[in-house]
Amino acid sequence: MFGFSKSSITAKDQMVYYHEDFSAKDLDETLVGRKGLSLFDLRDMDVPVPDFFVVSPKVYKEFLLNAFDSKLASLLEKVRNPASEEIERLILKGKFSEDFIQDFMRAYSRLSGFSKAWVSVRSSVVYPSKPKVSFSGIFSTELSLRGPEHVLDSIKHVYASVFKEQVLVYANQHEIDLTELEMGVVVQRMVQPEVSGIAYTLDPITSDDKKMSIEAVFGLGDVIADGTLTPDQYFLEKKRLDVVEKHISPQEWMKIRKAGVRVPGTKEEFEKIKISSAWSHQQKLEDKNIKTVAKIALIAEDRSSRPQSIEWVWESGNVWILQNKPLTPKADLEEMNKNSAEQDSSVVDVAIDIVKEEKLKNKKLRDSVPQPKSSGKNSDDDQIEVLDRLGEKIRVLTERANKIDQSKKDKLAKKQAASLRKLGKKTLQQTPVTSTSSSKRKFEFLLSGIGSSFGEVTGEVLVIGDSVPKDLVVTKDTVLVIGKFISKMKPYVLQAGGILMDEGGLTSDISILCREANIPAVVGTGLSSALLQDGDWVRIDGNIGSIYRSKVSSETKVAADKSEKPEPQNQESTKTASKKDNKNSPQIDEDDIPRIPTATKVLINIGEDVSEKYERIVSSMDGIAWVDMDLLMLHEEKHLMAYVKDGTFKSYSKKLEEILDKVSDWAGSNEAIVSMGSMSVAHFRNLVKGTSGELKEAADDLSGAPRLLSNRKLFSRYLGIFKKVRNVYRSRNLSLALHAPLNGDIMKELKKEISASGLRRTSTFNIFPVIENTSELLLLSEIISAGVDGVILNTPLIARQIQGLGVYDQSALYDIEAGSVWKVLEKAIELAKAENIKVIVVCESSTTLVKKCVEWGVYGVAVSPKSAKEIKSVVSEQETKIILRN
């Protein structure tokens, strides 16, 4: 009537803030908390946000004062230190004021419309003095709630989560005074998403602000935060929103909300819906929708002038943003960790101080207003004195309890040491984990995952699976291996030196926690909890996602096993284990083959020659361009499918597996590429039962990807052998090359088959198409866009075609140094480098072509074993010339 808006008059006096009534400019963190303010900001940006309202932080302190006022004093009169569960019970029995309940009911009715809305209840922290601390995943989140009584109870559960032990550990880690913390609560309408995920407007690991990342899963997205599933990862170049890298993770089930009302504080009712095999290996979000999510995330970044973490869902063709958080730069995280200090407090201390602070505030407010004279002290003054006395008493009890607890830990550590000595691990106990002892250990590559928190650490493995063992002792010399993460593990995560997880992605709660605490972490490993056991020694590299196991511990374990079981039942498996323990330890004469570091990789092209004479030269170079599975198979007497039919495939497969594993050992921690599809149908028909092994309708000259895709049962056997070497033999440095992909559609089909076989793309498993003819060079952009990690340019076959020679004619004289060949190579290299993928050029023994490749800036050159030593020197000299020239 008079032109005044509701927000301009009453914003500071509200107990509930409905999204339609206020603008972000009318509010600040003290009124609605961080999460609430970010939602109001998003609405002001016209970003699609589900309807919501925010419970004011002042309700939190008023509620706690009423809940604790008299009952806390009687609780503290007990002899023992009350546990956090007892504090929680006090909170859950507390009552909200009538004024607040009226405001809440109005807001919930507006949110619901004609029916009771399904909502989520989340914390909205107020702590202005530490804006860079995220509080990610620390406080309770309540989902799938319906009805005002359930929502009100859930708000109490959010309040109670402040008094959890893991919150206290987190607060100590970041120098947070929980008595100063206030808690708003966001109540938001829920959606049932088809796809959910998190978008980071910079690279969450490297903090590269020219890139952004998006993670996605089918169904509800909390499986990303808790690390239950490994999500798809899409990396984009921010300027043009081009997808520069994808990692598609197979998903066998998705999580959806069950119909029915959930009681707050109880386990939420969900359904795990099995995903059909046709969809389980599909990309979760189409490329066009990836760009839609990216655009919305960048709007939030642009308007807020800070990098953002965006939680989003996709429902019925629409994107909804559930929440956003500013990202803390890596340098700031390091500064926070450097300044962190241990504090000595308990959840009861926090409760006492909150009550005391509120009563002091009330007293100051009362004293500032003239009061009628009265005799004696005010009751609040008496209660403050009581709280002071009880606080001192509880601190003494807490200190005593901590001393007892430390004594128990010391006794347990001694007990564990005695147990380890009994197993024959005297070396591990006599030498503590220091840089000196770590440097004496020799480590072999074990497996890889997603490096989700920078740093390297060496320590002793402690496997905790999906539960927290009793009397668990964790130190900075411990590498925790977690099967499934639960909130009770957070205090132990913060005490650990490093973290490994079977599942999870870059934006899971544990990844964020590790980055904030500067703890190296590798997630999404798939097998770490199965391959590692207590007492193993590992080195983890959170920068690249690699895990290495100490050969010392492996040998000790074998000795311990022998002492317990003098006569192992399976001698063959013992031999295999022994072999793996000696992995990556070829006897190399350093004077004979010098190791020369170069930016351009020198890779050995073995083909089918896997004789031991090449072990030393391979070990001294930068990896293997490829060992050819087709040629290895042609050395066998019969066709692969013949072994399948007569029941001897297992022994046939084992022979090939051991060859690939041996070659993997030679390469050490370097990449070893295995190729498939180099030979034609005609070659395999010449084997015993080769005619029946190949498809009748297949032409004799059919080779490469078309042959593999036309006979998928055969291709499945190829991939099965390769997968077993990677996963069972633990040769995780193997990558895959596929000959003659022809075009982008065929390349996509090849990738589908690879995913269907259970092979998961990781930082150490790359896919390379081998480009062998001029038509593939013309379609190279299309092949690359199918999502590959690099390309191998097979110069000899390209030269044969350009010069009109037969592909399989061994007597043909071709020239890989011809100008026409170089011209097409240069164009192909420029195209591949523009897409930020690896380029490997097959150079045979041509030093002239090698020099040219160094100038072109290729990733690597593939050369024959005999010329490798000379070419390594040539590459080093050429790189030196380029540096001096510039």
Side-chain angles (χ1 to χ4, degrees):
M1 178 177 178
F2 297 100
F4 296 109
S5 69
K6 177 180 178 183
S7 59
S8 64
I9 298 174
T10 63
K12 292 185 179 180
D13 302 321
Q14 296 294 309
M15 286 188 282
V16 176
Y17 296 84
Y18 196 76
H19 69 92
E20 291 179 338
D21 296 342
F22 298 93
S23 169
K25 66 179 184 236
D26 304 316
L27 306 168
D28 58 33
E29 181 179 326
T30 63
L31 297 178
V32 291
R34 294 181 185 178
K35 192 169 294 179
L37 186 61
S38 71
L39 289 174
F40 279 104
D41 277 329
L42 290 172
R43 285 195 67 85
D44 286 357
M45 299 173 197
D46 291 327
V47 169
V49 177
D51 294 349
F52 68 94
F53 63 86
V54 182
V55 177
S56 168
K58 72 178 182 180
V59 175
Y60 165 74
K61 283 292 179 72
E62 290 175 0
F63 176 84
L64 290 186
L65 180 60
N66 292 331
F68 289 157
D69 196 3
S70 59
K71 295 174 184 176
L72 182 62
S74 61
L75 178 63
L76 291 175
E77 287 297 332
K78 295 181 179 180
V79 176
R80 63 188 177 86
N81 184 4
S84 60
E85 289 79 8
E86 293 172 299
I87 301 295
E88 182 179 8
R89 279 195 288 271
L90 284 183
I91 295 173
L92 298 181
K93 289 178 181 178
K95 295 185 181 299
F96 290 104
S97 70
E98 288 299 323
D99 289 342
F100 167 70
I101 290 176
Q102 289 179 13
D103 287 354
F104 168 83
M105 291 299 295
R106 281 192 291 268
Y108 184 72
S109 297
R110 289 176 69 182
L111 195 71
S112 299
F114 294 104
S115 63
K116 295 178 181 179
W118 290 95
V119 298
S120 63
V121 175
R122 292 184 170 94
S123 62
S124 184
V125 172
V126 178
Y127 203 82
S129 62
K130 291 269 188 177
K132 294 172 183 175
V133 179
S134 74
F135 297 95
S136 179
I138 295 299
F139 303 111
S140 176
T141 293
E142 302 281 319
L143 304 175
S144 301
L145 300 158
R146 193 181 189 201
E149 65 282 358
H150 289 123
V151 179
L152 286 169
D153 283 346
S154 289
I155 294 172
K156 295 179 186 179
H157 279 281
V158 173
Y159 291 166
S161 67
V162 175
F163 299 89
K164 298 287 188 183
E165 292 295 342
Q166 61 261 29
V167 175
L168 192 63
V169 173
Y170 184 87
N172 290 345
Q173 180 80 21
H174 295 284
E175 295 184 316
I176 295 165
D177 184 352
L178 289 176
T179 62
E180 295 180 6
L181 179 141
E182 294 186 3
M183 181 70 72
V185 175
V186 173
V187 179
Q188 188 172 36
R189 180 185 286 277
M190 285 195 73
V191 294
Q192 183 76 285
E194 299 154 28
V195 182
S196 306
I198 299 174
Y200 271 46
T201 60
L202 50 69
D203 189 309
I205 303 300
T206 65
S207 295
D208 183 352
D209 61 3
K210 294 182 177 61
K211 291 182 180 179
M212 64 180 298
S213 78
I214 296 174
E215 294 188 331
V217 293
F218 290 128
L220 291 171
D222 59 329
V223 294
I224 298 177
D226 62 26
T228 307
L229 290 175
T230 302
D232 277 7
Q233 291 179 295
Y234 318 122
F235 291 91
L236 296 88
E237 185 273 317
K238 284 168 69 172
K239 188 174 182 180
R240 295 183 299 174
L241 291 185
D242 291 335
V243 180
V244 296
E245 185 178 349
K246 292 181 189 176
H247 297 284
I248 311 302
S249 297
Q251 185 176 338
E252 297 178 354
W253 56 271
M254 68 177 181
K255 184 178 179 181
I256 66 168
R257 188 177 66 245
K258 262 189 181 180
V261 179
R262 182 177 71 87
V263 177
T266 62
K267 188 175 181 180
E268 188 170 356
E269 291 295 321
F270 293 110
E271 287 185 86
K272 285 186 178 181
I273 304 297
K274 187 176 180 181
I275 300 173
S276 68
S277 57
W279 280 95
S280 62
H281 292 78
Q282 293 289 324
Q283 181 175 314
K284 312 301 182 299
L285 206 58
E286 295 179 13
D287 284 358
K288 62 179 182 179
N289 298 334
I290 291 174
K291 290 189 176 182
T292 300
V293 172
K295 287 176 183 177
I296 293 174
L298 291 178
I299 289 172
E301 181 187 57
D302 180 62
R303 301 286 179 86
S304 61
S305 301
R306 292 183 66 183
Q308 298 287 308
S309 165
I310 309 289
E311 186 178 331
W312 58 270
V313 295
W314 187 273
E315 181 196 39
S316 303
N318 297 311
V319 177
W320 294 98
I321 304 303
L322 302 183
Q323 60 176 318
N324 69 314
K325 297 178 184 176
L327 290 174
T328 304
K330 187 171 183 289
D332 291 337
L333 289 177
E334 291 171 351
E335 185 65 24
M336 284 158 51
N337 289 314
K338 184 174 70 176
N339 294 332
S340 66
E342 291 296 326
Q343 299 177 13
D344 186 17
S345 60
S346 72
V347 292
V348 184
D349 291 327
V350 177
I352 291 172
D353 290 341
I354 286 174
V355 176
K356 184 178 173 183
E357 287 295 321
E358 285 303 300
K359 286 193 172 290
L360 285 171
K361 284 181 186 176
N362 291 341
K363 184 176 183 297
K364 287 179 181 177
L365 182 62
R366 189 179 62 250
D367 292 345
S368 67
V369 178
Q371 300 288 332
K373 291 183 179 180
S374 61
S375 60
K377 290 193 293 185
N378 186 279
S379 62
D380 276 355
D381 297 331
D382 292 332
Q383 290 181 19
I384 290 171
E385 289 180 12
V386 170
L387 286 169
D388 281 336
R389 290 198 300 272
L390 289 172
E392 184 59 33
K393 177 182 177 182
I394 205 66
R395 285 174 178 81
V396 171
L397 290 171
T398 301
E399 184 178 350
R400 189 183 304 165
N402 287 340
K403 288 179 180 177
I404 294 171
D405 185 51
Q406 186 58 48
S407 175
K408 287 182 179 178
K409 287 182 179 180
D410 292 341
K411 287 180 181 177
L412 183 61
K414 289 178 181 178
K415 186 177 179 181
Q416 289 176 341
S419 176
L420 289 173
R421 282 194 293 271
K422 188 176 179 181
L423 286 173
K425 299 182 179 178
K426 295 179 181 178
T427 305
L428 302 184
Q429 293 304 307
Q430 292 168 355
T431 308
V433 187
T434 63
S435 58
T436 305
S437 63
S438 297
S439 65
K440 292 179 181 178
R441 297 182 179 278
K442 294 182 180 179
F443 290 86
E444 61 182 15
F445 178 81
L446 179 65
L447 75 164
S448 64
I450 301 166
S452 65
S453 181
F454 268 170
E456 296 182 37
V457 67
T458 300
E460 186 175 4
V461 165
L462 183 58
V463 182
I464 59 174
D466 57 0
S467 62
V468 180
K470 190 177 180 181
D471 296 326
L472 184 65
V473 177
V474 177
T475 72
K476 285 301 177 184
D477 295 332
T478 304
V479 173
L480 275 183
V481 179
I482 301 173
K484 181 181 178 182
F485 180 69
I486 57 175
S487 60
K488 289 182 179 179
M489 296 177 183
K490 287 175 184 174
Y492 303 103
V493 168
L494 293 171
Q495 294 166 13
I499 300 295
L500 297 176
M501 267 197 72
D502 287 351
E503 301 292 343
L506 295 176
T507 56
S508 61
D509 284 345
I510 196 168
S511 296
I512 296 170
L513 198 63
C514 288
R515 288 198 289 272
E516 288 187 348
N518 208 23
I519 298 169
V522 179
V523 299
T525 63
L527 293 168
S528 58
S529 65
L531 296 179
L532 293 169
Q533 56 185 320
D534 292 354
D536 279 346
W537 284 79
V538 294
R539 175 178 294 143
I540 69 173
D541 187 341
N543 306 319
I544 60 174
S546 294
I547 305 161
Y548 306 85
R549 180 164 58 183
S550 168
K551 291 193 288 187
V552 172
S553 74
S554 297
E555 290 161 3
T556 307
K557 272 189 235 175
V558 171
D561 290 341
K562 286 181 179 179
S563 67
E564 292 180 5
K565 298 180 182 179
E567 297 180 10
Q569 295 179 351
N570 189 342
Q571 297 293 336
E572 187 65 30
S573 63
T574 305
K575 290 177 184 177
T576 303
S578 229
K579 172 183 169 303
K580 297 307 294 186
D581 290 338
N582 291 319
K583 192 168 183 166
N584 301 341
S585 57
Q587 301 300 312
I588 301 171
D589 185 344
E590 300 291 346
D591 296 327
D592 185 28
I593 307 175
R595 296 175 185 270
I596 306 172
T598 57
T600 308
K601 307 287 185 185
V602 176
L603 309 166
I604 308 300
N605 198 341
I606 290 179
E608 81 274 28
D609 191 349
V610 291
S611 55
E612 303 296 334
K613 62 184 177 181
Y614 294 135
E615 177 180 359
R616 290 167 59 200
I617 189 67
V618 169
S619 301
S620 64
M621 295 298 150
D622 304 311
I624 297 172
W626 75 66
V627 54
D628 195 319
M629 274 190 74
D630 281 34
L631 290 176
L632 292 176
M633 290 175 176
L634 289 175
H635 281 286
E636 299 302 313
E637 180 184 358
K638 297 186 291 188
H639 193 281
L640 180 152
M641 298 307 292
Y643 290 102
V644 174
K645 288 179 181 178
D646 64 20
T648 58
F649 176 75
K650 189 174 181 180
S651 58
Y652 167 82
S653 173
K654 185 177 181 180
K655 184 177 179 181
L656 292 175
E657 289 160 9
E658 289 179 348
I659 291 173
L660 297 182
D661 184 49
K662 175 178 70 174
V663 171
S664 164
D665 291 351
W666 293 355
S669 59
N670 292 320
E671 188 172 38
I673 303 172
V674 177
S675 80
M676 300 178 184
S678 67
M679 307 309 289
S680 68
V681 167
H683 290 96
F684 287 96
R685 281 180 174 157
N686 289 329
L687 295 173
V688 174
K689 297 186 179 179
T691 303
S692 60
E694 298 292 321
L695 297 178
K696 291 181 181 179
E697 61 272 19
D700 279 349
D701 60 354
L702 187 68
S703 65
R707 172 178 173 259
L708 296 174
L709 290 175
S710 66
N711 193 341
R712 300 199 183 213
K713 287 184 179 180
L714 179 68
F715 190 22
S716 176
R717 296 285 178 176
Y718 273 74
L719 294 172
I721 294 169
F722 179 83
K723 178 184 175 183
K724 189 172 181 180
V725 180
R726 272 189 61 88
N727 293 353
V728 178
Y729 287 75
R730 306 192 302 277
S731 296
R732 292 291 187 144
N733 58 339
L734 293 184
S735 288
L736 190 57
L738 298 157
H739 290 265
L742 294 188
N743 57 51
D745 289 337
I746 290 179
M747 192 66 234
K748 287 177 183 177
E749 285 299 312
L750 288 168
K751 286 181 63 185
K752 286 180 183 178
E753 289 297 315
I754 292 168
S755 293
S757 73
L759 284 163
R760 186 168 63 83
R761 301 279 292 283
T762 68
S763 59
T764 61
F765 174 38
N766 298 308
I767 296 177
F768 296 86
V770 183
I771 307 302
E772 300 182 330
N773 57 63
T774 51
S775 63
E776 288 170 350
L777 288 169
L778 293 173
L779 296 173
L780 185 58
S781 179
E782 181 183 315
I783 293 170
I784 291 172
S785 68
V788 297
D789 302 292
V791 294
I792 299 175
L793 301 177
N794 194 345
T795 314
L797 289 189
I798 293 171
R800 286 169 183 264
Q801 287 211 352
I802 291 175
Q803 294 159 19
L805 303 171
V807 173
Y808 298 110
D809 183 359
Q810 298 299 319
S811 62
L813 297 176
Y814 57 89
D815 183 7
I816 64 173
E817 297 180 2
S820 57
V821 176
W822 284 17
K823 188 175 182 180
V824 296
L825 285 180
E826 185 175 13
K827 287 185 176 180
I829 291 166
E830 286 177 0
L831 177 61
K833 285 179 65 180
E835 298 296 330
N836 295 315
I837 64 170
K838 300 174 182 178
V839 184
I840 298 172
V841 180
V842 180
C843 297
E844 294 187 319
S845 301
S846 172
T847 56
T848 307
L849 179 56
V850 166
K851 290 178 182 178
K852 201 67 180 174
C853 286
V854 173
E855 289 185 8
W856 288 332
V858 302
Y859 169 77
V861 291
V863 302
S864 65
K866 293 179 180 179
S867 62
K869 183 180 175 183
E870 177 191 1
I871 286 178
K872 189 68 170 175
S873 298
V874 169
V875 169
S876 178
E877 291 171 5
Q878 190 68 12
E879 287 181 349
T880 303
K881 288 179 182 178
I882 291 172
I883 292 169
L884 293 174
R885 188 191 311 157
N886 294 335

